[in-house]
Amino acid sequence: MGYRLGPTTGIWLALLLAGPAPAFPIWTRDPGTGIFSGSALVGRTVFNEASGGGAEVSTLMVPAAVLYSRTTNSAFGLELFYVERRLSTAEGSDVTRGAGDLMLFGRYKFLSRPHAGRWDQASVQLGLSVPTGATDRRLRLAVPAPVRRALQPGSGTTDVIFDVAGGRFTTRYNLAGGISYRRRNGGGSVQLGDELTASVDGEFFLLPRWTRSRGFELLTLLELSYVHRERTDFRGLAVRDSGGDDLLLAPGLQWIATERFLLEVSVQLPVF
């Protein structure tokens, strides 16, 4: 079975329990730290589906994050996940579900320049993913060990994630870009490869006067992402068809229904 799956459809349903719903990218790391000070609980539901090599993999994630922001230039928090993954092949289907890994992170906004009609921002974020998620869920289908590991709710690795992102946000359009590097450590006999992602994003408000007069906003998005993955190792040997480079184009739509609720949908298509 191959490891290169696409295209990917992501449906993001976000319920914000504190602060306004942001008009930020879907796949690209956003440079904001929030516009509140204090604490907040943020919950959302994420669904995506990928296909290729005769297989389909769908993932349902329900992350919940607790955030603390002493000022509008910094934010700290932790994020917990519930994960459900389903594999479908010609031989049948299988599913795993359970708690995912715990993520700890801190973000600092080192650039914040508000101007008339626009706001320039840039930030750095450092995260630590702790392997608290389940990695022992059984599968009925006979699949290789690296595939079995990839389908688990938890990664089994302790990861360090570094992100830097910047953007310009206006009342008519938003432009953003970011670079992310994920260093994976541990994992036992299956060692997942490190990952580097670079993304750019453009967002455009549709009929802004009409939508804002009715209390909501509608945006169309176009994101371009380059992803480099190092090969997965199994018992010290590189796994065939793992790792590689992908260039992905993702059109999307974002509906900010209220100050605490937004709905996003995006289809990530492989360019090569």
Side-chain angles (χ1 to χ4, degrees):
M1 179 185 299
Y3 293 85
R4 304 174 68 83
L5 299 175
T8 299
T9 302
I11 300 177
W12 303 62
L13 177 63
L15 175 61
L16 306 185
L17 304 181
F24 277 140
I26 296 177
W27 303 98
T28 305
R29 174 72 70 184
D30 74 77
T33 56
I35 58 174
F36 67 93
S37 60
S39 57
L41 174 64
V42 180
R44 66 188 190 273
T45 300
V46 181
F47 174 80
N48 63 63
E49 184 176 274
S51 61
E56 292 185 359
V57 177
S58 62
T59 302
L60 172 68
M61 289 192 298
V62 184
V66 178
L67 305 175
Y68 174 73
S69 179
R70 187 173 181 180
T71 71
T72 56
N73 289 327
S74 62
F76 305 90
L78 60 86
E79 193 167 27
L80 296 168
F81 295 83
Y82 169 80
V83 182
E84 180 177 303
R85 290 192 170 95
R86 183 177 298 274
L87 171 67
S88 298
T89 68
E91 288 75 30
S93 63
D94 217 334
V95 63
T96 62
R97 55 176 64 91
D101 294 342
L102 170 67
M103 172 75 76
L104 306 171
F105 62 88
R107 181 183 294 187
Y108 175 70
K109 184 163 56 180
F110 61 85
L111 174 66
S112 179
R113 292 180 180 173
H115 304 275
R118 76 175 194 269
W119 188 9
D120 297 333
Q121 300 182 58
S123 67
V124 294
Q125 177 171 302
L126 184 64
L128 177 66
S129 178
V130 184
T132 58
T135 58
D136 57 354
R137 297 295 188 260
R138 293 185 177 181
L139 294 173
R140 296 186 303 272
L141 294 177
V143 296
V147 177
R148 188 179 303 111
R149 168 58 63 84
L151 291 172
Q152 297 297 320
S155 67
T157 63
T158 300
D159 303 345
V160 177
I161 306 102
F162 176 78
D163 300 279
V164 59
R168 169 167 293 184
F169 302 89
T170 76
T171 58
R172 298 300 301 270
Y173 68 89
N174 299 330
L175 298 174
I179 297 175
S180 175
Y181 181 75
R182 187 180 191 111
R183 172 66 177 175
R184 299 185 184 272
N185 301 279
S189 60
V190 179
Q191 176 64 59
L192 302 176
D194 295 352
E195 186 173 305
L196 173 69
T197 303
S199 303
V200 292
D201 159 76
E203 307 164 35
F204 303 91
F205 292 88
L206 300 177
L207 303 173
R209 292 183 180 179
W210 184 81
T211 57
R212 288 166 185 163
S213 68
R214 286 158 175 78
F216 68 93
E217 291 187 302
L218 188 65
L219 298 91
T220 181
L221 305 91
L222 187 63
E223 300 180 69
L224 183 67
S225 301
Y226 166 75
V227 182
H228 171 76
R229 298 181 182 89
E230 296 293 328
R231 284 195 170 189
T232 296
D233 288 341
F234 178 53
R235 295 178 178 174
L237 299 177
V239 175
R240 183 175 59 89
D241 293 333
S242 65
D245 299 275
D246 293 291
L247 186 64
L248 305 165
L249 186 66
L253 194 65
Q254 184 180 75
W255 174 44
I256 304 177
T258 71
E259 289 187 349
R260 295 175 181 267
F261 181 84
L262 66 88
L263 182 65
E264 302 171 320
V265 61
S266 178
V267 180
Q268 204 171 45
L269 305 170
V271 178
F272 69 80

